[in-house]
Amino acid sequence: MPQTIVESKTKTTIIGFDQPFCVIGERINPTGRKALAAQLEAGDFCTVEKDALEQVACGAAMLDVNAGVVFHSNPNPNETEPPLMRKMIRMIQEIVDVPLCIDSSVPDALEAGLEVCGGRPLVNSITGEEERLEAILPLIKKYNVPVVAISNDDTGISEDPEVRFQVARRIVERAADFGISAHDIIVDPLAMPVGAVPTACLQVFELVRRLRRELGVNTTCGASNVSFGLPNRQGLTAAFLPIAIASGMTSAIMNPIRDQEMEAVRAADLLCNNDANAAVWIKANKPATTVTAKGRRRRRAG
Amino acid sequence: MPQTIVESKTKTTIIGFDQPFCVIGERINPTGRKALAAQLEAGDFCTVEKDALEQVACGAAMLDVNAGVVFHSNPNPNETEPPLMRKMIRMIQEIVDVPLCIDSSVPDALEAGLEVCGGRPLVNSITGEEERLEAILPLIKKYNVPVVAISNDDTGISEDPEVRFQVARRIVERAADFGISAHDIIVDPLAMPVGAVPTACLQVFELVRRLRRELGVNTTCGASNVSFGLPNRQGLTAAFLPIAIASGMTSAIMNPIRDQEMEAVRAADLLCNNDANAAVWIKANKPATTVTAKGRRRRRAG
């Protein structure tokens, strides 16, 4: 069974079918976060620091790091993003010990991150687009790191799951030409919003099974996509994740601060026999011990 | 695709692969409920009434009715259960309009329930035990009703899912000898506690897929069994149900009063394309409209 090995300077995480689901914290990303974007342009990393510590405390096994800010002072990300990514990666790996996921659409920012990142980070991402493959695969080979492969190509994102599967297959084949093995490719089969495409999730579940069976690759997705445009997005994601996990999905880029979704992941790990002796479940659901005014310990009702 | 049709006097519910998941309310059952048992012996049906109304209000599509009390005044259920079942069924079908599930280990209590129940109730249950098959299958045929078939037999409950599958197959074949079709058999593949059998849920998910594919039957289970002995049972059940539904399970006997589990069922219906236009999900997650002291309508934050 394929295992994708990711590492920080001190910690190894294995992504694989017989492993606990790998939660990749999505919070360190200025997209849609104006305050964070302004902070990053000003060189203020206090929110990044808080997000890093909090996500790891909530159980993230990895952290995604995205430096995609368009600076007001210089609107060219090709110039601003690489040094920002370098700073962010350096800072984050000093305060947390989980492996990182270097996330950028700017190839130079990916390389800047790879230069300073200890261990074996994950790169996010390649697609089936020719230009992207040519730019990123040599980096993946040079640094010997795993990569997220999103199953769209130069023709865009297909609504046909068969096309998305074939795009993934081509990426795996192209990577093989560079000497990169399938176990270092983590395919994102693209979960579309179920509110727009009623069969979107059924497609993803089936794609995950095929990707596992036929290509032997690990898989991931942006878990919150499926609920886009619908109310109670957490409630939907908390049902999506267990089905995805039981279908063979091995990681997701998601928000570990959300209790309901993390509980769903822990429950699915247990139900799918990836939590030996229910140890993680029992620990996460221990009644809290509180100290009363009289100094006696009391158990809160569960 | 097989459809199991259940009916009250006024309402039809279809259990099937392309239907919303059928939640069968489990609450009307004196097992382990001393106060309810005492009330039933005293002829007091106030809790039954409350449980019936509340479960339907919470979204139960059917109600299980179990009259299994051992009376202090007469410890023979063969004498006390049939008249009690008759009274309970009569009372419940006067106050709610959902189809009922007549649940007893006493064949005469099943027949008493069948005599007074309007529409097309579900009978709970047969097993592969010879005596049980001989006693109940003629009733099923006579009243032309569907039945829950639990996959254990005279040798007990097997931990081997292959054995449980073969027991289910034999029950379906025996029923066919009586002229009962597979679409009127709802197999319970027996979900064991995952705390005791780490592969219990994986077995159930695989069994549900096989039962659907190879025998063409609907399936059900006692959803809370899987979490027996573990903390935060609702959290586990809320992850179990979506996976079971995506595997093809079409109903469960469960507690509809529990929000988290019902939300998981609604979410799974939507994710599995059994909630057209997300209508049920959106309705269930509408921000509540409250009337303030000044009489203006206000939306509560979602």
Side-chain angles (χ1 to χ4, degrees):
Chain A
M1 289 210 288
Q3 295 194 322
T4 306
I5 312 248
V6 286
E7 290 176 333
S8 67
K9 286 179 184 170
T10 55
K11 202 167 180 171
T12 300
T13 295
I14 300 173
I15 302 174
F17 301 147
D18 54 354
Q19 300 291 324
F21 192 67
C22 180
V23 172
I24 306 171
E26 72 180 8
R27 294 286 296 157
I28 303 175
N29 188 333
T31 312
R33 297 180 76 188
K34 277 193 182 173
L36 175 57
Q39 281 178 7
L40 292 177
E41 180 162 6
D44 170 1
F45 296 104
C46 70
T47 298
V48 172
E49 187 175 320
K50 179 176 158 289
D51 283 344
L53 294 171
E54 198 175 20
Q55 290 183 101
V56 172
C58 288
M62 296 183 70
L63 294 184
D64 189 83
V65 181
N66 181 305
V69 191
V70 177
F71 281 15
H72 288 95
S73 58
N74 177 355
N76 182 356
N78 292 314
E79 293 175 7
T80 59
E81 212 177 306
L84 179 58
M85 180 66 90
R86 202 174 282 122
K87 275 188 212 162
M88 286 169 72
I89 297 279
R90 279 195 175 124
M91 196 277 285
I92 294 163
Q93 68 185 350
E94 275 186 21
I95 57 168
V96 295
D97 65 352
V98 299
L100 304 181
C101 175
I102 305 171
D103 179 6
S104 180
S105 56
V106 176
D108 286 349
L110 293 178
E111 179 142 30
L114 286 165
E115 281 164 9
V116 298
C117 194
R120 192 167 199 256
L122 176 63
V123 166
N124 187 4
S125 58
I126 50 174
T127 66
E129 295 162 298
E130 197 48 41
E131 195 184 345
R132 189 89 186 152
L133 290 169
E134 291 292 334
I136 313 291
L137 286 178
L139 276 184
I140 300 304
K141 178 63 184 169
K142 175 177 169 191
Y143 287 89
N144 182 27
V145 287
V147 65
V148 173
I150 303 181
S151 53
N152 66 295
D153 64 9
D154 292 295
T155 65
I157 300 175
S158 173
E159 280 206 24
D160 181 349
E162 178 60 29
V163 172
R164 299 216 295 283
F165 179 80
Q166 294 305 339
V167 171
R169 182 196 291 277
R170 272 200 303 278
I171 298 174
V172 170
E173 288 167 356
R174 284 298 299 276
D177 293 341
F178 281 80
I180 300 159
S181 358
H183 62 71
D184 274 336
I185 314 272
I186 299 180
V187 173
D188 179 344
L190 282 166
M192 317 247 199
V194 72
V197 183
T199 57
C201 294
L202 294 177
Q203 288 178 10
V204 167
F205 306 143
E206 180 55 28
L207 271 169
V208 166
R209 276 189 289 268
R210 281 191 74 187
L211 289 163
R212 172 180 176 155
R213 195 175 55 227
E214 299 180 36
L215 303 187
V217 291
N218 281 308
T219 46
T220 196
C221 75
S224 62
N225 276 9
V226 297
S227 62
F228 183 79
L230 289 167
N232 186 7
R233 297 186 62 178
Q234 288 195 48
L236 266 184
T237 309
F240 171 79
L241 286 165
I243 308 177
I245 292 169
S247 302
M249 191 174 277
T250 45
S251 68
I253 300 173
M254 55 182 277
N255 187 346
I257 313 295
R258 298 201 189 108
D259 269 356
Q260 191 179 357
E261 296 171 28
M262 289 300 279
E263 177 174 298
V265 166
R266 284 188 297 264
D269 276 342
L270 172 52
L271 297 171
C272 295
N273 195 20
N274 284 327
D275 178 8
N277 303 313
V280 174
W281 181 259
I282 289 169
K283 191 177 168 202
N285 290 288
K286 251 194 322 210
T289 302
T290 54
V291 179
T292 66
K294 289 188 179 173
R296 266 176 300 173
R297 272 158 179 262
R298 248 203 210 165
R299 300 216 129 188
R300 221 191 293 152
Chain B
M1 289 209 286
Q3 295 193 323
T4 306
I5 311 244
V6 286
E7 290 177 334
S8 67
K9 284 179 186 169
T10 55
K11 202 166 180 173
T12 300
T13 295
I14 300 173
I15 302 173
F17 301 147
D18 55 354
Q19 300 291 323
F21 192 66
C22 181
V23 172
I24 306 171
E26 71 181 7
R27 294 286 295 156
I28 304 175
N29 188 333
T31 313
R33 297 180 76 187
K34 277 193 184 174
L36 175 57
Q39 281 179 8
L40 292 178
E41 180 162 8
D44 170 0
F45 295 105
C46 70
T47 298
V48 172
E49 187 176 320
K50 179 175 159 289
D51 283 344
L53 294 170
E54 199 175 18
Q55 290 183 102
V56 172
C58 288
M62 295 183 69
L63 294 184
D64 189 82
V65 181
N66 182 305
V69 192
V70 177
F71 282 16
H72 289 95
S73 57
N74 178 354
N76 183 357
N78 292 314
E79 293 174 7
T80 59
E81 212 178 307
L84 179 59
M85 180 65 91
R86 202 174 281 122
K87 274 189 211 160
M88 285 169 72
I89 297 279
R90 278 195 176 124
M91 196 277 283
I92 294 163
Q93 69 185 349
E94 274 186 22
I95 58 168
V96 295
D97 65 353
V98 299
L100 302 182
C101 174
I102 305 171
D103 179 4
S104 180
S105 56
V106 175
D108 285 349
L110 293 178
E111 178 140 33
L114 286 165
E115 280 164 11
V116 297
C117 193
R120 191 168 200 255
L122 176 62
V123 166
N124 187 5
S125 57
I126 50 173
T127 66
E129 294 162 298
E130 197 47 41
E131 195 185 344
R132 189 88 187 152
L133 290 169
E134 291 292 335
I136 314 291
L137 286 177
L139 275 184
I140 300 304
K141 178 63 186 169
K142 175 178 170 191
Y143 286 90
N144 181 29
V145 287
V147 66
V148 173
I150 303 181
S151 53
N152 66 296
D153 64 11
D154 292 294
T155 64
I157 299 176
S158 173
E159 280 205 22
D160 181 349
E162 178 60 30
V163 172
R164 299 217 294 283
F165 178 80
Q166 294 305 339
V167 170
R169 183 197 290 278
R170 272 200 305 277
I171 298 175
V172 169
E173 288 167 357
R174 285 297 300 276
D177 293 343
F178 281 80
I180 300 160
S181 359
H183 62 70
D184 275 334
I185 314 273
I186 299 181
V187 172
D188 179 344
L190 281 166
M192 317 247 199
V194 72
V197 183
T199 57
C201 294
L202 294 177
Q203 288 179 9
V204 167
F205 306 143
E206 180 54 28
L207 270 170
V208 166
R209 276 189 289 267
R210 281 191 75 188
L211 289 163
R212 172 180 176 155
R213 197 175 52 228
E214 298 179 36
L215 302 187
V217 291
N218 281 307
T219 46
T220 196
C221 74
S224 61
N225 276 9
V226 298
S227 62
F228 184 79
L230 288 167
N232 186 7
R233 297 185 62 178
Q234 288 196 48
L236 267 184
T237 309
F240 170 78
L241 285 165
I243 308 177
I245 292 171
S247 302
M249 190 174 278
T250 45
S251 68
I253 300 173
M254 55 182 277
N255 187 346
I257 313 295
R258 297 201 191 109
D259 268 356
Q260 191 181 357
E261 296 171 27
M262 289 300 279
E263 177 173 298
V265 167
R266 284 188 296 265
D269 276 342
L270 172 52
L271 298 172
C272 295
N273 195 21
N274 284 327
D275 178 8
N277 302 314
V280 174
W281 181 259
I282 290 169
K283 192 176 167 202
N285 289 287
K286 249 191 328 206
T289 302
T290 54
V291 179
T292 66
K294 291 190 176 171
R296 266 175 301 173
R297 275 160 176 261
R298 250 203 209 165
R299 301 215 129 188
R300 224 193 291 154

